[in-house]
Amino acid sequence: MLSDKMQAALNQQVNAELFSAYLYYSMMNYFESKSLPGCAHWMKLQALEEMTHARKLEAFVNERGGRILLTPIDGPETEWASPLAVFEEAYKHELKVTKMINDLVDLAIKESDHATNNFLQWFVGEQVEEEASADEVVQKLKLVDSTQGGLFMVDRELGQRAFNLPPEFGGGA
Ligand code: FEO
């Protein structure tokens, strides 16, 4: 059984994951408007991944006899100075999400809620990947330094990103 405080905190994290999806959708639309289909594809899959994070949290809360109550999602930014600025913001956003996950773990430990702590460890690991994948693109874009040819190459590479739907969304694994 979840405490009221833990249930509220997990609900808040669902909102944060859905905001993340909304932010990445906004970035996807920015890239589509700039005719960078590979960057747009990367962001579309990132948004989808955020939806699966929200779903994971929802399923856990429900499994523990809790209740998910969706709340309004803030409007995301819509304009950026450059493709590099977009990915820098994505990286900064992931650092913020990591802090939120760490705070949730702290709360679970404080409440001796071992089940929630154990569940959250998946997110702890996931955030290492989330930070690394956004930072990898930041470093690539810095290397090509906004040259047209370099940007084209990075865009083509980001267009290769793949994502397998997890079981929560009807996927295989
Ligand atoms: Fe759900 Fe990108 O963290």
Side-chain angles (χ1 to χ4, degrees):
M1 184 81 185
L2 292 168
S3 72
D4 287 349
K5 199 168 175 186
M6 182 55 80
Q7 176 171 292
L10 291 170
N11 264 277
Q12 209 175 8
Q13 190 61 33
V14 168
N15 183 285
E17 300 292 347
L18 293 177
F19 172 77
S20 299
Y22 209 27
L23 175 65
Y24 294 134
Y25 257 144
S26 185
M27 292 173 170
M28 173 192 78
N29 280 289
Y30 166 86
F31 283 127
E32 282 193 337
S33 78
K34 301 289 180 195
S35 301
L36 289 167
C39 293
H41 171 78
W42 194 98
M43 284 298 171
K44 181 174 64 189
L45 295 196
Q46 189 61 33
L48 190 57
E49 199 169 324
E50 299 301 348
M51 294 286 295
T52 70
H53 294 170
R55 186 81 280 270
K56 220 178 229 312
L57 287 155
E58 290 161 1
F60 176 74
V61 169
N62 282 308
E63 198 181 357
R64 301 281 313 276
R67 178 83 164 89
I68 289 289
L69 299 166
L70 297 181
T71 50
I73 300 168
D74 289 341
E77 267 186 75
T78 53
E79 289 296 340
W80 291 271
S82 64
L84 174 59
V86 180
F87 278 96
E88 280 177 334
E89 186 181 335
Y91 175 63
K92 263 202 311 207
H93 180 70
E94 288 303 332
L95 295 181
K96 210 155 72 180
V97 175
T98 298
K99 162 97 175 66
M100 295 178 85
I101 296 293
N102 288 342
D103 287 348
L104 281 171
V105 172
D106 286 347
L107 179 62
I109 291 170
K110 197 169 150 211
E111 294 194 351
S112 301
D113 183 346
H114 300 292
T116 300
N117 183 15
N118 181 55
F119 165 75
L120 288 169
Q121 292 308 310
W122 182 90
F123 283 88
V124 171
E126 178 68 4
Q127 279 313 118
V128 174
E129 276 180 40
E130 291 282 83
E131 286 181 23
S133 63
D135 190 45
E136 191 186 319
V137 184
V138 167
Q139 299 314 321
K140 276 183 184 150
L141 287 172
K142 278 184 176 167
L143 268 179
V144 303
D145 201 19
S146 301
T147 58
Q148 277 307 104
L151 191 56
F152 176 77
M153 271 173 53
V154 173
D155 188 65
R156 207 168 47 180
E157 193 187 323
L158 297 191
Q160 307 298 314
R161 183 179 180 181
F163 177 61
N164 293 325
L165 270 182
E168 292 91 341
F169 268 67

